[in-house]
């Protein structure tokens, strides 16, 4: 009994080594991805759009576009069942996304000023249409690449490392824009973006082409119906979609409020976002440990009042110093949204059938993407509508209303839907 079959130990060592190598590649790939994406989204995206001459409603539209195109993931989830290899399709679509998104920095050099915003929106839309396919493929590959027994720990460590890097990049980018205002600062950022977006595509070539367990269904409609007929999945997904609609009425436009209405500089805005990221990183460890004891759905419910509280905290701007309130709101939001994002991802890749997971992911992305599209779009229009109202209604009035609605949604529906079965 003590003698082991010849080659059994070396075989296990090689297998473990292969897993470690694959996880290292996935982690290393996140480094250039984090650097270029941090410099192209959030406060930098809002700032660049303001530089191009965009209005608040146009900014809201751009922020919403990335989620609207997620609807196409349903078709992509079906099409990948026909692919002989997921890897090269993933490399192709992700490469297109990186190149086209980086190309938005060329808009001031290629188009007359009156067409800057329209040209940006065109390139940005095409880039994220390519990303729709790339996101489905990457999620499918990474869920097979990371063994279930280490999934929570691995994503916790990966998220922590990459968010720490993102914080440094965000702060550095804010300093660059303050020291080199206008087009000069954005030119510097886009040079860095091009370097790391190309590096990111190169790293994807080293991803393994892991085996793919395909759906037992061969036709689109039967495959599409599977998640739709899963009542527990659909109730949870529709609730989270409603929650994200509320959340995205204000959160994507925070940078607009702080830059345009509170006149905060980029360095201070970067520090606010860094503080949010640091507390989000710390929360990964806490939520990860709690996830070992409690279900994804129960913990998702616990994150909701925290996110709502972060919105309500903006109301304290009426009585307390501005930066104190903004730091508190960003920190609380970081704790809440860190848990929400991590647990929602775990819910999709951990609580759904493996063979049908691409379609489950696509349906979740489509429904939450649709609600997340209308959130900032409606929010941007509301800010346009209330421009003539008292200043406080634009600075923190919207956040107070949304925070109250969030609390009501969590209490009235969340407690019933996100409960353990």
């Amino acid at each position: 009994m003590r003698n082991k079959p010849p080659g059994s130990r070396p075989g296990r060592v090689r297998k473990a080594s292969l897993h470690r190598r694959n996880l290292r590649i996935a982690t290393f790939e996140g480094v250039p991805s984090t650097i270029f994406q941090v410099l192209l989204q959030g406060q930098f995206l809002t700032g660049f759009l303001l530089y191009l001459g965009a209005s608040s409603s146009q900014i809201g539209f751009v922020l919403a576009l990335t989620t609207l195109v997620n609807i196409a993931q349903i078709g992509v989830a079906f099409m990948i069942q026909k692919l002989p290899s997921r890897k090269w399709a993933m490399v192709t679509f992700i490469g297109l996304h990186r190149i086209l998104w980086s190309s938005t920095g060329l808009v001031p050099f290629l188009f007359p000023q009156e067409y800057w915003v329209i040209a940006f929106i065109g390139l940005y839309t095409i880039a994220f249409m390519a990303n729709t396919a790339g996101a489905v493929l990457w999620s499918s590959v990474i869920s097979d690449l990371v063994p279930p027994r280490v999934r929570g720990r691995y994503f916790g460590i990966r998220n922590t490392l990459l968010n720490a890097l993102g914080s440094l990049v965000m702060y550095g980018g804010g300093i660059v824009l303050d020291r080199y205002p206008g087009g000069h600062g954005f030119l510097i950022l886009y040079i860095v973006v091009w370097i790391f977006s190309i590096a990111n595509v190169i790293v994807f070539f080293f991803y393994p082409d892991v085996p793919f367990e395909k759906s037992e269904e061969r036709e689109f409609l039967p495959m599409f119906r599977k998640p739709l007929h899963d009542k527990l999945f659909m109730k949870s997904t529709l609730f989270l979609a409603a929650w994200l609609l509320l959340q995205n009425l204000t959160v994507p436009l925070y940078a607009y409020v702080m830059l345009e209405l509170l006149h905060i500089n980029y360095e201070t805005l970067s520090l606010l976002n860094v503080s949010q990221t640091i507390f989000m990183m710390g929360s990964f460890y806490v939520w990860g440990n709690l996830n070992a004891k409690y279900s994804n759905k129960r913990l998702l419910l616990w994150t909701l009042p925290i996110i709502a509280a972060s919105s309500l905290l903006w109301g304290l701007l009426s009585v307390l110093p501005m930066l104190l309130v903004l730091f508190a709101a960003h920190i609380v939001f970081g704790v809440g949204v860190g848990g929400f994002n991590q647990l929602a991802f775990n819910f999709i890749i951990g609580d759904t059938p493996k063979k049908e997971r691409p379609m489950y992911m696509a349906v979740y992305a489509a429904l939450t993407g649709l609600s997340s599209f209308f959130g900032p779009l409606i929010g941007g229009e509301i800010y346009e509508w209330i421009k003539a109202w008292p200043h406080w209604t634009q600075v923190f009035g919207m956040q107070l209303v949304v925070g109250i609605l969030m609390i009501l949604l969590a209490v009235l529906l969340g407690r019933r839907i996100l409960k353990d079965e």
Side-chain angles (χ1 to χ4, degrees):
M1 293 293 291
R2 292 167 57 188
N3 293 330
K4 296 178 181 178
S8 63
R9 184 177 180 81
R12 283 200 298 272
V13 171
R14 282 196 299 269
K15 186 175 181 181
S17 178
L18 180 62
H19 279 315
R20 284 197 296 270
R21 177 179 175 274
N22 291 341
L23 296 182
R24 279 198 298 268
I25 291 170
T27 303
F28 183 68
E29 173 270 316
V31 172
S33 177
T34 296
I35 293 172
F36 98 86
Q37 290 194 65
V38 164
L39 295 177
L40 284 178
Q41 60 189 8
Q43 67 195 57
F44 303 112
L45 173 59
T46 302
F48 190 58
L49 286 168
L50 289 171
Y51 167 71
L52 295 180
S55 65
S56 64
S57 58
Q58 287 173 321
I59 292 171
F61 178 72
V62 170
L63 295 174
L65 267 176
T66 57
T67 53
L68 177 65
V69 294
N70 283 344
I71 297 172
Q73 288 193 16
I74 293 173
V76 176
F78 173 71
M79 293 304 297
I80 66 172
Q81 306 289 332
K82 313 294 183 183
L83 293 174
S85 166
R86 287 179 295 177
K87 174 182 175 177
W88 297 113
M90 178 181 71
V91 171
T92 300
F93 284 108
I94 288 178
L96 282 171
H97 168 252
R98 299 327 192 222
I99 292 169
L100 289 168
W101 196 9
S102 301
S103 297
T104 56
L106 300 176
V107 164
F109 301 99
L110 299 178
F111 300 93
Q113 188 168 355
E114 60 267 27
Y115 298 115
W116 281 2
V117 176
I118 294 173
F120 179 96
I121 291 174
L123 278 171
Y124 192 81
T125 302
I126 299 169
F128 276 89
M129 288 174 67
N131 186 58
T132 298
V136 173
L137 290 158
W138 183 83
S139 297
S140 174
V141 169
I142 201 71
S143 66
D144 290 341
L145 195 65
V146 183
R149 66 183 181 279
V150 300
R151 191 172 284 153
R153 184 172 175 229
Y154 170 74
F155 282 116
I157 294 172
R158 185 180 190 269
N159 290 341
T160 301
L161 292 174
L162 296 182
N163 278 283
L165 173 63
S167 299
L168 294 174
V169 173
M170 189 183 299
Y171 183 65
I175 292 175
V176 168
L177 289 184
D178 279 337
R179 291 188 180 175
Y180 303 96
H184 192 183
F186 285 112
L187 176 61
I188 295 171
L189 293 191
Y190 267 98
I191 289 171
V192 176
V193 162
W194 269 103
I195 291 170
F196 285 98
S197 62
I198 292 171
N200 186 222
V201 175
I202 291 171
V203 177
F204 271 106
F205 280 83
F206 295 93
Y207 257 68
D209 200 0
V210 291
F212 183 26
E213 283 191 42
K214 298 184 179 181
S215 171
E216 295 174 356
E217 304 291 347
R218 292 294 176 263
E219 300 297 326
F220 174 75
L221 285 178
M223 192 183 301
F224 179 54
R225 288 193 194 105
K226 288 219 167 177
L228 297 183
H229 289 169
D230 187 332
K231 291 182 180 179
L232 294 178
F233 169 78
M234 286 304 299
K235 281 199 303 183
S236 301
T237 298
L238 289 171
F239 172 79
L240 293 177
W243 178 268
L244 289 171
L245 174 65
L246 277 178
Q247 180 178 302
N248 284 295
L249 287 174
T250 54
V251 173
L253 293 161
Y254 281 175
Y256 167 78
V257 173
M258 290 184 284
L259 288 170
E260 279 290 286
L261 303 177
L262 296 177
H263 307 293
I264 292 175
N265 61 34
Y266 282 101
E267 185 174 351
T268 303
L269 187 54
S270 295
L271 284 173
L272 288 166
N273 286 318
V274 166
S275 68
Q276 176 180 307
T277 304
I278 289 172
F279 277 84
M280 183 168 64
M281 287 160 42
S283 78
F284 290 149
Y285 178 78
V286 177
W287 292 115
N289 283 342
L290 288 172
N291 205 190
K293 299 179 180 178
Y294 304 104
S295 70
N296 291 316
K297 289 169 70 174
R298 178 183 290 193
L299 292 178
L300 267 173
L301 177 62
W302 292 359
T303 68
L304 304 186
I306 299 174
I307 295 172
S310 72
S311 188
L312 292 171
L313 280 171
W314 280 72
L316 294 177
L317 285 171
S318 59
V319 293
L320 293 177
M322 179 180 68
L323 287 181
L324 176 64
V325 173
L326 292 179
F327 271 106
H330 278 74
I331 287 168
V332 173
F333 182 72
V335 173
V337 83
F340 183 93
N341 291 340
Q342 184 168 319
L343 292 160
F345 185 73
N346 289 346
F347 165 63
I348 296 301
I349 70 170
D351 296 359
T352 54
K354 184 176 181 181
K355 290 184 178 181
E356 309 301 330
R357 193 167 293 152
M359 187 58 75
Y360 272 79
M361 287 178 171
V363 169
Y364 176 85
L367 291 173
T368 55
L370 193 62
S371 65
S372 297
F373 167 75
F374 283 109
L377 194 63
I378 295 170
E381 288 294 335
I382 292 174
Y383 274 109
E384 286 286 316
W385 179 46
I386 64 175
K387 261 188 175 179
W389 290 22
H391 191 250
W392 70 267
T393 62
Q394 301 170 62
V395 172
F396 60 83
M398 274 276 289
Q399 288 87 320
L400 284 177
V401 172
V402 169
I404 292 169
L405 291 175
M406 283 178 168
I407 291 291
L408 292 174
L409 184 63
V411 171
L412 297 177
L413 288 179
R415 292 175 60 189
R416 287 164 41 195
I417 293 173
L418 296 179
K419 65 180 181 179
D420 295 329
E421 299 296 328

